[in-house]
Structures are given as structure tokens and as C-alpha cells.
Amino acid sequence: MTLRIGNASGFYGDRFDAMREMLTGGELDVLTGDYLAELTMLILGRDRLKDPGAGYARTFLRQLEECLGLAHERGVRIVTNAGGLNPAGLADRIRELADQLGLPVRVAHVEGDDLTPLHPGSLAAHAYLGGFGIAACLRDGADVVVTGRVTDAALVTGPAAAHFGWGPTDHDRLAGAVVAGHVLECGTQATGGNYAFFQEGDVRRPGFPLAELHQDGTAVITKHPGTGGFVDVGTVTAQLLYETQGARYAGPDVTARLDTVRLTQDGPDRVRISGVRGEAPPPTLKVGLNRLGGFRNEVAFVLTGLDIEAKAALVREQMETHLAKVTDVRWDLVRTDRPDAATEETAGALLRLVVRDANQEVVGRALSGAAVELALASYPGFHVLAPPGKGSPYGVFEDVYVPHGAVDHVAVLHDGRRLPVVPAPETAVLEDLPTPPLPEPLPEGPTRRAPLGLIAGARSGDKGGNANIGVWARTDEAWRWLAHTLTVEHLRELLPETAELPVTRHDLPNLRALNFVVEGILGEGVAAQHRFDPQAKALGEWLRSRHLDIPEALL
């Protein structure tokens, strides 16, 4: 008995046509959509400040205007976290839409994640709930289930638990669904999008992924026939490593053991996931806190031609007195210039000034005025990419943890009945696993200086202020070399931005992969815009571009 679960959204703003494509492209039982991220919760929180009836992903409702009838006709159930900060409000809008379209659609939603009243000063404080509220709604016959902040994988564990009759202690099966859900949650990242070896397939318009789940918790990741992109062990490995921490991948339903995952190619565009072991979830739930941190402004000075360093020093000295009252000042000189350049643009470097302060005036007009006044009184060729504005608010994300019993997890069924969802009956304190033994090293031989990316893939992402970099080898021989070579110390040498930060390495031999967690590199999270790449999306690609002494036998 196979359950086919598809995905039609990996973030708020993903491809609008994906819902129709997934509903018309092949067979499905359930269609999910993930619309929430740390930054999205802040955006929705600001929306709700302006309009108490807002707080949900509006694009999802517009997608349903085109596709609700199609889903009903094909018998496909829809499960989404598009409810954001207002799942009840979105559920009501869907019911209104169904009435307008004359469709007998049963809509349910899940509540209990909103803990904002318990955290004064937060714009939004929401616990990450599991999938059993979703399961209760589906078992009661809901056609559409709307949630707020649940874990991304809960959009798959909920339908799987409802369909197969799993209970909270079916840890291995739930863990298999968590792994499948983690692969699906970011949409086309599982089908060739953002993939290190993207040139191996046509990824101009990757199709969205789906999972064929089985009673025993195993799954096959695939996509609809004829859609773009590709699914292979590499694309699935990349997504498995995305935004993970250690070998224990904890959630409110189960802790999945990523070190037990086995991936095998099961035919063209088909990857089988098996062997996943699960453990009782931790005794606490993660709560994401979003608050406004102050105001931010930025100026990018363009430095052209000769004497780049001296020009940068001059403008920094000229701005110094105007920045004395600013709490947080950051200068970055980005050397995009080339000697004897054939175009003016390639002769230029960028000097970025980023300022943050609780006072908007300090980083707003006072700063912009000081920068503009230098137009005729600074380095030769002075200009900026854009005039600075009045300063914009920025957000701060942090996470805290509460006991399972601190949330009122409720499934609000399609007829209005409220069904409490009982917390996990078993929990286990999360501990790091012992480091697995290293494989046998490669024999000594000639080496060549070359980019790491010739033999290894990588994918990186953010978790609050931390970043993870997953690196995997494509062959057993490359894994033997990678496991011994890419130590924490070597990573710090290759990525100097990490040199003074805590870095932890986790080994995943089944995936021929290493996962590095870099603490604090993103400051207070993506909304704070702490660095040039605020979500660490390209940190892995930077690592792949760095040169090492690689055995010639691997090249």
C-alpha cells in the first residue's frame, strides 16, 4: 500500500504554477506546501501588525483559486503550513472560496504553536509542532489541512501516520517519513535545483519532487514523468544534508538517525530511502522567537582603478566622525577589480558599509547625508551603487525550548470540534553519537593542486545564527580521502571567516558525507543581514572552490 505525497512549494514565493503542475502531472494522494522559514515568520508578523486578519501566505490562497476544484476532482488532499501566524483565518478563507466554487471541501486546521503572549517583546514566538495534529484532521476526513508553525517534515509524517495507522511509538517508521519529508520540504532542491553538479542534467525548470511512502517507513523519491531536472543519489544526499546539525535529526514526533540512512538508485529519477532508524523525540520543543532588532542601513562605495586600498582608507576616515554614535558598524572591501581591466565595471571594487542601531535617525538621514556630502570631496571617481535610504527595520531570530506539555496542540476538525493532541509518550534527552571510525586512508601517491569541488559536492544553509555545510564524496575512494583530509582545522584554513568561531564536524559514512556546523557566523539570523550571504546559501560553493592537494588518482 503506497502513499504518494508531492510537494508544490519550498518557500513563500516559490513557483506559483507548481500546484497545478503537481496536480496534473501524475498520480498523487497528498500534496504538501511548505511556506514558512525563520524570515517568513517575521514577515508575516509585520503583516499582522498592519492587519490582524493577515498573517498567512496569501499566494497559497491565490493558488487554490485555480486549483482547489482540480484537487477535489482528483481526490488529492492538501496539507500546508501556509497558515503561518493565522491558520484559523486561512482555513476560513478556504471555506469561503470552496463555497464560492460550489465545492464540498472539508477544511481543518491545527493550532497551539503560538506562544507569543508568553514572550513579551517578541513579534512572533511559535513552537515547532509535529505531525499528529495533521493526522487527526486527515483521519476525520479533511480534504485540506492548514497549520501554523510545524516542522517541515510534519507535512509528511502527518499524512503517513494517518494513512498507515502509525502511532507515536512507531519510531523507525516515523523516522523514515521524517527523512522523506526533509527531502521534499525544499521542493526542487531535491530534483537538481541549487545542486553542485547541476551541469549533469537539464535544470532550467526542475519538476517538483514526490515521495512514494510504504508501510514499513521506506520511501522512493521521484518526480512526475516528463518534468525537468533529475533525481539521483547525489541530489537526495545534498538535500538530506541541508540545514541539519548532527547525526541525530530531532523533531517533536521522533529523532531520526541520519547515520542510518541508506540511499540506492532505484531506476531513472528514483532514489530509494531505507534503513532509517528512529528514537524517541527529545523532551522539549523548539520555539522560534522573532523580534525587531532595530534599524539598518547600507552604502556601497564604488572604488575604481588604481590605489583601491588608499581610496578605501580615505572614505573610512572621512565617515568616521559621522559613525561615532552608531552601535554596530561593519566595513567590507570586496575586491572585484582587475588590473588593466577592459571595462570600467571590472576595474571597480566595492566598499560596503553596513550600520545598525536602535535609533533610526542615527543610521538614517544622518548617515545618508554624510555619505552624499562626500560626492565632490573624497576619492577620485567617487560614486555609490545607490543612495542610502532612511534606514529599515531588521529582525532578530533566536530559539528557546519548552516542554511538550507547554503547548496546547489541537486539531480543529472540519466541523469545528477541537481534538487535543497528546504529547509524545516517550522522550529521550538528545546526546551526540560517538564518532564513527574513519575509513582506511588512501595509499600515498602524487597529488595536484585543484578545487575541492572537482570530487565533492556541498550544500549549506542557516539555522538561526549558525550555518551548516554538508560535504559529500561521489566515490568510495574520494570518501576515504575526504574523511581524513577535511578536518575542522583544515576547514578553518580554507574558510577564514570561520577561523575564530566554534565549528563541529559530524561524520555520516553511509552518505559518504561530513556535516560542519559553524556557530555564530550569521550573527542574529537571516533577518539581521549580518553578512554578505545572510543565509549561508553559498558557503558550500565557496568551500568547493578552494584549492587543496588532491590525489591525482581521484581527478
Side-chain angles (χ1 to χ4, degrees), residues 235-453:
T235 66
V236 175
T237 298
Q239 180 54 29
L240 270 181
L241 296 172
Y242 183 61
E243 294 182 344
T244 58
Q245 306 292 305
R248 281 191 164 107
Y249 186 62
D253 296 323
V254 68
T255 294
R257 289 277 300 272
L258 298 184
D259 60 326
T260 64
V261 177
R262 294 192 178 277
L263 304 178
T264 52
Q265 199 72 36
D266 197 46
D269 293 321
R270 293 177 62 84
V271 172
R272 182 171 296 279
I273 300 174
S274 62
V276 187
R277 301 295 303 275
E279 300 170 343
T284 56
L285 298 176
K286 176 180 173 181
V287 180
L289 304 183
N290 289 274
R291 60 181 173 84
L292 294 177
F295 296 87
R296 177 186 186 278
N297 209 346
E298 179 175 341
V299 190
F301 300 91
V302 182
L303 317 174
T304 307
L306 304 177
D307 307 317
I308 296 294
E309 301 282 352
K311 290 171 179 174
L314 173 60
V315 76
R316 289 186 62 165
E317 186 174 354
Q318 289 176 311
M319 291 292 295
E320 186 175 343
T321 57
H322 302 284
L323 300 175
K325 296 182 179 180
V326 180
T327 302
D328 185 4
V329 179
R330 177 166 177 161
W331 291 95
D332 288 296
L333 178 58
V334 184
R335 296 300 300 264
T336 53
D337 56 303
R338 303 174 192 171
D340 194 21
T343 66
E344 182 179 335
E345 187 170 0
T346 55
L350 295 179
L351 178 64
R352 295 178 67 241
L353 167 62
V354 178
V355 292
R356 295 183 182 83
D357 198 274
N359 186 338
Q360 186 174 15
E361 179 61 27
V362 169
V363 299
R365 299 190 184 282
L367 172 71
S368 58
V372 170
E373 287 171 5
L374 294 178
L376 306 180
S378 189
Y379 59 86
F382 179 100
H383 64 287
V384 296
L385 288 184
K390 60 182 181 180
S392 58
Y394 71 88
V396 172
F397 176 89
E398 61 179 308
D399 50 43
V400 298
Y401 293 84
V402 299
H404 283 255
V407 302
D408 186 20
H409 190 178
V410 176
V412 183
L413 307 179
H414 69 275
D415 58 4
R417 287 176 293 133
R418 300 177 64 84
L419 184 65
V421 179
V422 179
E426 300 177 17
T427 62
V429 175
L430 201 64
E431 297 179 350
D432 287 335
L433 290 164
T435 301
L438 292 174
E440 285 292 320
L442 285 182
E444 294 290 334
T447 63
R448 187 194 318 161
R449 199 78 176 163
L452 174 63

Side-chain angles (χ1 to χ4, degrees), residues 20-214:
R20 176 174 290 277
E21 292 170 10
M22 290 301 289
L23 289 171
T24 59
E27 292 185 13
L28 282 180
D29 300 303
V30 178
L31 183 60
T32 66
D34 180 8
Y35 292 79
L36 302 184
E38 294 169 0
L39 180 60
T40 311
M41 298 298 281
L42 180 69
I43 293 169
L44 295 178
R46 293 178 62 185
D47 285 349
R48 204 168 190 190
L49 283 178
K50 301 173 186 175
D51 176 7
Y56 54 81
R58 298 178 186 272
T59 52
F60 172 75
L61 193 59
R62 295 205 305 271
Q63 287 172 305
L64 278 192
E65 291 174 3
E66 297 182 7
C67 297
L68 185 58
L70 188 60
H72 178 70
E73 174 188 320
R74 298 192 170 217
V76 178
R77 291 168 144 186
I78 295 176
V79 178
T80 180
N81 61 16
L85 278 60
N86 189 9
L90 178 56
D92 286 341
R93 300 291 84 74
I94 296 170
R95 292 186 187 98
E96 293 171 3
L97 175 62
D99 289 343
Q100 293 170 10
L101 298 175
L103 298 172
V105 173
R106 294 163 292 192
V107 183
H109 71 276
V110 177
E111 293 181 351
D113 60 299
D114 190 356
L115 302 182
T116 306
L118 303 179
H119 297 275
S122 293
L123 186 60
H126 291 257
Y128 288 70
L129 302 180
F132 280 96
I134 295 170
C137 294
L138 292 172
R139 285 170 178 158
D140 189 62
D143 301 302
V144 179
V145 181
V146 174
T147 77
R149 179 74 276 184
V150 296
T151 64
D152 301 337
L155 301 177
V156 172
T157 60
H163 184 78
F164 296 117
W166 297 341
T169 59
D170 287 318
H171 293 145
D172 289 348
R173 294 172 177 179
L174 288 168
V178 163
V179 169
H182 181 54
V183 174
L184 294 188
E185 69 186 51
C186 288
T188 53
Q189 280 197 170
T191 59
N194 293 356
Y195 182 52
F197 305 104
F198 66 96
Q199 297 180 81
E200 295 181 355
D202 183 356
V203 295
R204 289 173 295 177
R205 189 180 173 86
F208 277 68
L210 62 93
E212 298 172 356
L213 276 82
H214 304 286

Side-chain angles (χ1 to χ4, degrees), residues 452-473:
L452 174 63
L454 293 183
I455 63 165
R459 179 163 288 168
S460 55
D462 64 316
K463 279 294 180 187
N466 302 339
N468 93 292
I469 312 170
V471 187
W472 77 94

